[in-house]
Amino acid sequence: MATMDQLREKVLACTACKLAATRTNVVFGGGNSNARVLFIGEGPGQQEDLSGQPFVGRAGKLLDKMLDAVGLSRDESIFITNMVKCRPPGNRDPQPDEVSACMGYLYEQIRLMRPQYIVCLGRVAAQSLIDPDFRVTKQHGQFIEKDGILMMGTFHPAALLRNPNQKVDAFDDFCKLRDRLLENKAQL
Ligand code: URA
Ligand code: SF4
C-alpha cells in the first residue's frame, strides 16, 4: 500500500486535467496526516499556487485564527487539502470534469489517513462529499455519518471574509467540532 508521501509524489506530477497547464505548483495538502480531522477546501488560490501550500492566503489566515480560538493546532490537530489540487484560473469554481479527475486522490488521502471527522469548507466540498443539494446556510454544523466517518459542512473562510456576519455561526461549528473531539478522547 502506498504511503501519503508516495501519493504526494504521484500527485505532484499529475497532468490528468486541464488545470495542469495553468498551475505553478500542485497543492497536495498539509498538516498532520495522523490527525483525527481532515479539512477539505475547494481549490488552491493564488498564494497557494505560488507556494504549493494549502490555505496560506487571507482565507487561510482567518482559518488559522478560528482553529486557534478552539484550541486546534493547524500543524498537529488536522490535515488540510482541497477538492482539486491545482488552481482554477482566476479562482473560478472547479468544473465538474476537474473535480472528477482529481477526486481519486482525495479518496486515497482519506483511505490513508482514516480520519474520524471530515470538515467540508464551503459548498463545493460539501456538495461533492455530503449531499449534492447541500445548503451551507441551512445545514452547516450538522454531523452526518458516512462510511464510519463523521462529516460536517461549514462556511468557507473566503466566504466569511465577504460576509463577516456569518462568522458567529462558523465559530459555533468549530466549537461543536472541538466539543466532539474532547468528548471521545481527552486530546485535541
Ligand atoms: N481556498 C481554498 O479553498 N483552498 C485553499 O487552499 C486556499 C483558499
Ligand atoms: Fe491532476 Fe488534480 Fe491537478 Fe487536475 S487538479 S492536474 S487531476 S492534480
Side-chain angles (χ1 to χ4, degrees), residues 11-21 23 26 83-87 97-98 100-103 105:
V11 179
L12 292 188
C14 178
T15 56
C17 84
K18 59 186 177 302
L19 296 179
R23 75 180 179 224
V26 176
M83 292 303 299
V84 293
K85 313 305 191 208
C86 302
R87 182 191 185 203
D97 60 316
E98 296 158 357
S100 51
C102 216
M103 197 71 156
Y105 297 137

